Amino acid sequence: MAASTNIYVLPDQDIHAGGKIYDRWGNLSYFANVDALSDVAATGGADWTSEVKAHSRKPYLNSKVESSIPKHDRNIIKGARQSKGALPGVRFTLQSALEKRDFTTTANMAAIYTWLKTTAKVDLTFYSNTGTPYDPITAVAEQGA
């Protein structure tokens, strides 16, 4: 299984630095509207081609014979590898009347709190990485409802 189902990019919120929100089990959409955030986990990395110049090399160490390698292209894939260790950043917790879930982020806690105040789908409490609760966040009314 992948380290995270979704990795959302949170833009800067006024003066507060944004970052990535790692949603390991896909639960963030229950608490907030994530439609405006880009999901970098879905991109799967980047592919490109690099040109390798013609060169010579020895088939083994201290060989007296050199072989020529012609110019060729090398296919490169970057960003597709998954981390086996802990997710980067710090943990934060969202708790509603029915659910309590942990997420990891590289963003500023104030940026997440500011974003949640404008996108919350349910009434919730936001806890920082130290366990400190922020003021409760009320659900934002749906547009056109």
Side-chain angles (χ1 to χ4, degrees), residues 28 31 43 60 109 117 120 137 139:
L28 188 60
F31 293 101
T43 61
Y60 55 88
M109 291 295 163
K117 284 175 37 178
I137 299 171

Side-chain angles (χ1 to χ4, degrees), residues 5-144:
T5 303
N6 303 99
I7 303 172
Y8 297 107
V9 178
L10 179 66
D12 292 348
Q13 304 292 314
D14 297 323
I15 60 169
H16 308 295
K20 292 180 180 175
I21 299 175
Y22 296 86
D23 183 4
R24 185 170 185 144
W25 308 111
N27 294 317
L28 188 60
S29 60
Y30 168 78
F31 293 101
N33 184 356
V34 295
D35 295 339
L37 301 179
S38 62
D39 185 2
V40 296
T43 61
D47 301 346
W48 71 89
T49 304
S50 174
E51 183 179 301
V52 178
K53 296 179 183 177
H55 61 282
S56 61
R57 67 175 173 209
K58 296 180 179 180
Y60 55 88
L61 188 63
N62 295 328
S63 174
K64 295 180 181 174
V65 180
E66 287 190 354
S67 60
S68 295
I69 308 298
K71 178 178 108 172
H72 62 280
D73 291 334
R74 179 176 291 145
N75 293 328
I76 300 170
I77 301 171
K78 185 174 181 181
R81 198 171 103 190
Q82 294 290 325
S83 171
K84 288 174 45 179
L87 295 173
V90 294
R91 181 183 57 86
F92 70 94
T93 305
L94 299 178
Q95 182 176 5
S96 70
L98 302 174
E99 299 283 336
K100 181 178 181 180
R101 298 287 183 252
D102 290 338
F103 304 92
T104 308
T105 186
T106 58
N108 185 314
M109 291 295 163
I112 296 173
Y113 181 75
T114 303
W115 174 74
L116 284 170
K117 284 175 37 178
T118 61
T119 60
K121 288 183 178 178
V122 295
D123 295 343
L124 61 94
T125 303
F126 172 75
Y127 295 92
S128 70
N129 58 327
T130 60
T132 305
Y134 282 60
D135 288 338
I137 299 171
T138 56
V140 177
E142 292 284 330
Q143 294 287 341

